[in-house]
Amino acid sequence: MPTTTTREATAPARSRRRRRAGSTLAFWLFTGPFLIGLLVFVYVPILWSAWLSLFEARFTVTPSEFVGFENYRLMLTDDAFTGSLVTFTVFAAIIVPTTWALSLALALAVNRLRFLRAFFRSVFFLPTAVSYVAASLVWKMSIFNGVRFGLANTVLGVFGVDNTAWLASPDPPWYWLVIVTVRLWLQAGFYMILFLAALQNIPPELYEAAAIDGAKPGWQTFRHITLPQLRATSTAVVLLLLVAAYQAFDEFFNLLNRTTWGRPPLVELYYKALGESQDYGAGSAGALILTVLICLVTLVQGRIMGFGKGEGAK
């Protein structure tokens, strides 16, 4: 029979095993629903699209005719699809630095406030809770509706400028102003919160040491202290902005309706797969091409900005 000493020695081991089992059960209870949703709504559709892109699939999602990489060739030689990639690479080049600069400026301004900081933080963040569809309709029907009583044309009329049809024609491309402003309004507040959190984590001792060394408050302090301390946050913000730019859909679909110009890749794929032709094979191939493009751009951006490097890495 086990002695009292042996029983006392094995009791802590059993207790540790129970704690580990309890922790494992709690882990799967909390993460299980998320993992199931990730599997069902992300990885299974990706694999299904990859399989579907290798078949001739018009008006059906259960094709039987294998065509290999023919759908990829068709999409890469489709002027509408390649044009959408080029156009919205330019869009990303505009919206990413603009949103980065505006959100950082808002964060710096809110961080300097002595009073009502929480109020202004909430005011700037609230637009992120607005639906892209609702915001697009407000921009289209109230601000940039192209008639004399629209807000934008009313303001321009004060300065003697004639009415502008903001969304009627690609030449001149006034629709870019509408799309860029609505996206700035919708997403700048979210990235402002990220920058604001990073600003509040900068040790005050750095600014005190800089002041002792003779650094002037303002541009010198911002350039040599604040901006380097925001490197990791800036990299994450640019990464998120790039992905969001290539995933643009709601504002373009609702602002430009069924126009053949100014379409982002997702809108082009929507009409390809769910339009009159309902070519699911070509649409799936285009979606995978877009996914690979986003991954490549993300990797290049992370390589340039040093994503994942430690603070001391050069």
Side-chain angles (χ1 to χ4, degrees):
M1 295 181 63
T3 63
T4 303
T5 304
T6 304
R7 289 196 298 269
E8 292 176 352
T10 57
R14 288 196 298 268
S15 177
R16 285 194 297 269
R17 284 195 295 271
R18 291 195 202 98
R19 285 197 297 268
R20 283 198 296 268
S23 299
T24 303
L25 179 61
F27 170 81
W28 287 112
L29 285 176
F30 280 102
T31 62
F34 170 77
L35 293 176
I36 293 173
L38 188 67
L39 177 66
V40 173
F41 296 107
V42 177
Y43 293 116
V44 170
I46 290 175
L47 294 175
W48 180 264
S49 295
W51 180 81
L52 202 62
S53 67
L54 302 175
F55 290 83
E56 177 70 25
R58 291 180 183 269
F59 304 100
T60 179
V61 293
T62 56
S64 58
E65 183 181 351
F66 181 79
V67 294
F69 293 100
E70 179 65 18
N71 286 323
Y72 293 92
R73 187 192 67 81
L74 290 175
M75 292 303 297
L76 290 174
T77 56
D78 185 355
D79 292 338
F81 179 69
T82 55
S84 71
L85 293 177
V86 174
T87 299
F88 284 86
T89 298
V90 176
F91 169 65
I94 296 172
I95 196 65
V96 170
T98 305
T99 307
W100 180 88
L102 178 61
S103 57
L104 179 56
L106 291 175
L108 290 170
V110 172
N111 193 51
R112 285 179 173 271
L113 293 176
R114 298 286 184 179
F115 304 100
L116 298 177
R117 179 184 295 180
F119 170 77
F120 285 103
R121 186 172 60 220
S122 301
V123 166
F124 290 128
F125 182 75
L126 275 177
T128 62
V130 178
S131 165
Y132 272 66
V133 175
S136 300
L137 293 178
V138 170
W139 250 245
K140 180 179 181 179
M141 301 174 66
S142 300
I143 302 177
F144 296 98
N145 54 15
V147 300
R148 184 165 60 90
F149 297 105
L151 179 60
N153 282 335
T154 300
V155 173
L156 293 177
V158 175
F159 300 96
V161 180
D162 294 334
N163 289 348
T164 301
W166 302 97
L167 299 170
S169 172
D171 189 21
W174 294 117
Y175 65 92
W176 280 115
L177 178 63
V178 185
I179 291 170
V180 169
T181 52
V182 68
R183 180 159 275 242
L184 281 174
W185 183 74
L186 284 167
Q187 65 183 13
F190 173 76
Y191 298 106
M192 178 206 71
I193 294 296
L194 299 183
F195 278 123
L196 191 59
L199 286 170
Q200 293 174 353
N201 283 330
I202 298 178
E205 294 80 7
L206 294 177
Y207 295 104
E208 295 172 1
I212 293 174
D213 291 339
K216 297 179 181 179
W219 172 247
Q220 277 191 340
T221 304
F222 173 77
R223 179 183 177 185
H224 297 288
I225 302 295
T226 305
L227 201 56
Q229 291 295 315
L230 297 177
R231 177 180 176 180
T233 303
S234 295
T235 303
V237 167
V238 172
L239 175 70
L240 294 172
L241 286 171
L242 280 171
V243 174
Y246 280 98
Q247 291 179 337
F249 179 85
D250 294 329
E251 63 269 47
F252 292 93
F253 185 81
N254 289 280
L255 287 171
L256 302 181
N257 293 328
R258 296 182 65 87
T259 56
T260 56
W261 42 266
R263 287 181 179 179
L266 286 186
V267 173
E268 191 65 39
L269 293 175
Y270 173 84
Y271 285 117
K272 175 69 69 174
L274 300 176
E276 295 179 357
S277 62
Q278 292 193 14
D279 193 344
Y280 298 112
S284 298
L288 289 175
I289 292 172
L290 181 60
T291 301
V292 172
L293 178 61
I294 293 174
C295 292
L296 290 177
V297 171
T298 301
L299 291 174
V300 171
Q301 178 263 336
R303 180 72 174 179
I304 293 174
M305 300 189 68
F307 184 73
K309 293 183 179 179
E311 293 294 334
K314 300 297 183 181

